[in-house]
Amino acid sequence: TLFSELDLTLSPGTRLGLLGRNGCGKSTLMQILAAAGTDDDAGLQPDTGQVDTADNLRIISFDQRREQLDQEQTLRRALAPDGDSVMYQDRSIHVASWAQRFLFRTDQLETPVSRLSGGEQARILIASLMRQPADILVLDEPTNDLDIPSLNVLEQSLNEFAGALVLVTHDRFMLDRICDQVLGFDGKGKATLFADYEQWLTALASGRAEEEKKQNKKKVQSKPVGKKSAKKLSYMDQREYDQMEEKILEAETRQEELETAIQEPELAADPAKLAECCEELEIVQQEIADLYARWEELEAMQHGE
């Protein structure tokens, strides 16, 4: 089970971020939501429960595949397929103004798409996304491979969107700036709403520590009751015990370094490195929990508990 007993309401202005490790169910939930916006049952459906939608609800998923662009088209036609203007938020905008909104110069309008950079082609896709009438936007890793100007354009466009957003991204800073709540997946079939990324991270670490304590308590309770007496640790156990404080200090120092690095704007501009840093942070937090649990275990052995 990826998630169950999940009760969500998406309404105009909702800004929901999805958090969790790969394979925890984020993309599955997004596929279920996207399918709710179609007229048939061809999309992914939940095993139990239901998704209720308003009449004529329009759900748009962001597809960042640049191969969908017609490379022979001019920038003008790619931005405004139906003429010299586009409809945006119920008003008509001339293609030149629309192009400037996405950081294109007027003299680029007759340039073929094939001659534009990867970042410029990404901005065409963002412009196409914002041009579509939608009540809910579902975005799965929209920041991948975007340069900084494109990231800024995407963030500005999403902040102006009046409908509901459901966002998955490794860019923590974009998540914090755009989303007003997050849904955190624990990888064990449970998904819980949190105020922000930091609250989810704290709850995740706390849950792991609590689980370790429960496991250690079970181990202690399962031992036969008898007279408690201190006993000498084996050579290897004593050596491990003597080094434990230093190991914990090193791990906690690394945790602080990673938490500081995640706050740096330079890292936020590199989604791949940000994801790598977040993954290492989870590993270090688990390592710290394991070290404390082992320390308690060694102390219990030393005191004959």
Side-chain angles (χ1 to χ4, degrees):
T1 301
L2 294 174
F3 49 85
S4 61
E5 300 180 8
L6 179 59
D7 188 4
L8 284 176
T9 300
L10 301 179
S11 55
T14 298
R15 298 289 189 268
L16 178 67
L18 306 187
L19 293 171
R21 304 188 76 169
N22 291 340
C24 69
K26 303 188 299 294
S27 294
T28 299
L29 177 58
M30 298 187 87
Q31 289 174 40
I32 290 173
L33 293 175
T38 62
D39 295 329
D40 54 47
D41 297 329
L44 191 62
Q45 303 296 319
D47 297 318
T48 60
Q50 62 188 33
V51 181
D52 296 322
T53 61
D55 293 338
N56 303 315
L57 185 73
R58 300 164 299 182
I59 301 177
I60 301 296
S61 298
F62 180 47
D63 187 347
Q64 205 191 79
R65 292 175 299 176
R66 292 171 197 163
E67 58 265 27
Q68 68 177 289
L69 293 173
D70 184 346
Q71 297 293 316
E72 301 304 316
Q73 250 184 356
T74 62
L75 173 62
R76 177 190 297 273
R77 195 52 57 224
L79 291 174
D82 302 320
D84 287 332
S85 62
V86 299
M87 290 299 298
Y88 178 65
Q89 295 183 349
D90 298 324
R91 60 192 179 94
S92 178
I93 301 177
H94 191 271
V95 64
S97 299
W98 186 245
Q100 290 174 0
R101 184 188 189 89
F102 295 94
L103 309 183
F104 294 109
R105 303 185 310 274
T106 304
D107 62 0
Q108 289 181 288
L109 286 174
E110 303 308 322
T111 303
V113 170
S114 61
R115 291 176 55 187
L116 299 174
S117 68
E120 288 171 328
Q121 292 190 25
R123 296 204 294 276
I124 295 175
L125 293 174
I126 296 171
S128 175
L129 171 72
M130 302 314 299
R131 195 178 66 245
Q132 298 180 61
D135 301 301
I136 298 176
L137 289 182
V138 178
L139 304 105
D140 194 352
E141 297 294 356
T143 62
N144 283 356
D145 302 323
L146 294 187
D147 55 20
I148 292 178
S150 299
L151 284 170
N152 292 335
V153 166
L154 176 62
E155 183 177 332
Q156 179 184 356
S157 299
L158 295 182
N159 279 325
E160 292 178 357
F161 179 64
L165 285 176
V166 182
L167 174 66
V168 172
T169 177
H170 286 301
D171 187 338
R172 173 182 173 178
F173 294 96
M174 176 173 282
L175 190 91
D176 284 341
R177 288 191 294 263
I178 290 177
C179 298
D180 54 17
Q181 58 181 328
V182 297
L183 182 68
F185 294 74
D186 65 0
K188 300 176 183 178
K190 187 177 180 182
T192 307
L193 284 170
F194 296 94
D196 54 28
Y197 183 96
E198 193 64 39
Q199 189 183 56
W200 171 74
L201 209 59
T202 301
L204 204 62
S206 175
R208 286 172 177 163
E210 188 64 31
E211 185 65 28
E212 289 291 339
K213 287 181 181 178
K214 288 180 181 178
Q215 293 298 326
N216 291 331
K217 187 175 181 181
K218 287 179 182 178
K219 290 176 183 177
V220 172
Q221 289 177 342
S222 65
K223 295 178 181 178
V225 178
K227 184 179 179 180
K228 294 182 180 179
S229 59
K231 67 176 183 178
K232 190 175 181 180
L233 294 173
S234 69
Y235 171 76
M236 294 302 294
D237 286 341
Q238 185 64 52
R239 184 178 179 185
E240 182 183 4
Y241 180 78
D242 292 341
Q243 297 174 346
M244 194 60 71
E245 284 190 64
E246 184 179 351
K247 288 183 178 179
I248 290 175
L249 181 60
E250 289 177 357
E252 289 182 336
T253 300
R254 181 56 181 159
Q255 179 184 9
E256 291 177 4
E257 291 173 352
L258 290 167
E259 289 175 342
T260 301
I262 287 174
Q263 304 289 338
E264 296 294 333
E266 293 82 2
L267 193 64
D270 191 331
K273 287 186 179 179
L274 181 63
E276 183 180 333
C277 192
C278 290
E279 187 171 344
E280 184 182 352
L281 178 59
E282 289 187 27
I283 293 171
V284 171
Q285 288 173 331
Q286 182 62 54
E287 180 186 349
I288 292 171
D290 292 341
L291 284 169
Y292 273 114
R294 178 58 176 163
W295 197 8
E296 290 179 7
E297 185 180 345
L298 290 170
E299 284 193 328
M301 290 167 59
Q302 191 176 43
H303 294 89
E305 297 178 359

